[in-house]
Amino acid sequence: MDTAQNPDSDHKKTDPPSSASAYLDPNYWNQRFSNEEHYEWFKDYSHFRHLMQSHIKPNSSVLELGCGNSQLCEELYKDGITDITCIDLSSVAVERMKERLLSKGYEEIKVLEADMLDLPFSNERFDVVIEKGTMDVLFVDSGDLWNPQPATISKVMAMLEGVHKVLKPNGIFISITFGQGRRCLDDEDSIEKIQMPSISLYHEDVPAGTMLMKSKQGKHVP
């Protein structure tokens, strides 16, 4: 579930919500996914493929947060990455994704209904965790992006701590976001105040926004 739209996606036109706060309403997403076959936020896989291939090995175990009706997992599968787990908070998105993947013969891809703030996986389960616009929804009611409300910070930290928990040592968290992250990365005081989990950061601007790669336990991503 993401918050920045891509007008180039091949899908039925979806009316925008009456307000940004609708993105926090599960009913909005269930209704949307009931009527929408496919939508890509922040461009499609082709814009990120070269970066993904640089950091995801064919034998990597991958978790995608907030899969919605994106084709990201399918594109990764076509590139030879078969150990993929997708989660979404919307039961409609999960059921429709399962049906779509089965119809295409991608039985190995697992799809679960789950909350990214409370991941139902054991410690050190995945080599790679990916989110594409999913974390942005946490900032819908944050107020000032550079000085978010405490409740927003708590949610973001819960997500990052959960990701950190399920990543294997030296695992990688790939976050494709709207491109507002540079100030946070450059502001050492802010990083110290938030007390991020033990990760190193890699930052690269891409046409759709900003791609962040965070490596667990201090291993720098080249």
Side-chain angles (χ1 to χ4, degrees):
M1 303 177 184
D2 319 326
T3 58
Q5 299 190 18
N6 169 21
D8 299 327
S9 286
D10 180 18
H11 72 298
K12 298 177 182 178
K13 180 175 175 58
T14 300
D15 292 332
S18 57
S19 68
S21 62
Y23 288 120
L24 301 174
D25 182 2
N27 291 325
Y28 166 79
W29 292 107
N30 284 335
Q31 182 178 3
R32 175 167 182 160
F33 291 135
S34 294
N35 300 315
E36 185 178 75
E37 293 296 327
H38 164 238
Y39 197 91
E40 293 295 341
W41 306 84
F42 304 142
K43 303 295 184 181
D44 60 33
Y45 179 69
S46 64
H47 291 81
F48 314 107
R49 185 170 184 260
H50 64 293
L51 294 172
M52 296 282 194
Q53 289 186 321
S54 298
H55 301 288
I56 305 179
K57 298 178 176 61
N59 62 348
S60 294
S61 53
V62 177
L63 171 64
E64 181 187 359
L65 305 178
C67 60
N69 53 21
S70 168
Q71 293 179 347
L72 175 60
C73 64
E74 298 175 40
E75 298 298 335
L76 290 171
Y77 190 90
K78 291 175 185 177
D79 275 344
I81 301 160
T82 58
D83 187 357
I84 303 173
T85 301
C86 304
I87 68 166
D88 201 281
L89 196 58
S90 167
S91 59
V92 176
V94 168
E95 289 307 311
R96 297 203 70 182
M97 178 67 81
K98 286 180 178 179
E99 292 172 1
R100 193 175 81 192
L101 294 174
L102 285 174
S103 71
K104 295 183 178 182
Y106 302 150
E107 294 91 352
E108 293 173 89
I109 301 177
K110 296 172 285 293
V111 188
L112 307 172
E113 182 180 346
D115 188 345
M116 66 180 178
L117 302 183
D118 186 20
L119 296 175
F121 305 107
S122 59
N123 292 356
E124 300 182 358
R125 166 68 178 82
F126 298 98
D127 297 297
V128 179
V129 177
I130 303 174
E131 71 88 15
K132 185 158 76 78
T134 306
M135 186 163 61
D136 291 56
V137 78
L138 300 179
F139 291 91
V140 165
D141 59 350
S142 67
D144 182 359
L145 283 176
W146 303 122
N147 187 26
Q149 298 174 7
T152 299
I153 294 176
S154 295
K155 290 178 182 178
V156 172
M157 287 305 302
M159 176 185 173
L160 292 177
E161 288 168 357
V163 168
H164 190 264
K165 182 192 77 170
V166 302
L167 276 175
K168 296 178 182 179
N170 299 321
I172 296 175
F173 173 40
I174 300 176
S175 174
I176 301 171
T177 185
F178 190 54
Q180 308 253 10
R182 182 178 294 277
R183 178 173 167 182
C184 291
L185 293 178
D186 292 341
D187 189 339
E188 294 181 359
D189 291 336
S190 295
I191 293 175
E192 290 175 2
K193 289 177 184 176
I194 295 176
Q195 297 181 337
M196 298 281 285
S198 177
I199 52 179
S200 296
L201 302 179
Y202 164 86
H203 169 278
E204 178 163 342
D205 289 326
V206 291
T210 297
M211 186 166 185
L212 305 178
M213 293 192 182
K214 307 177 182 184
S215 176
K216 183 175 179 179
Q217 297 186 352
K219 178 180 177 182
H220 288 275
V221 180

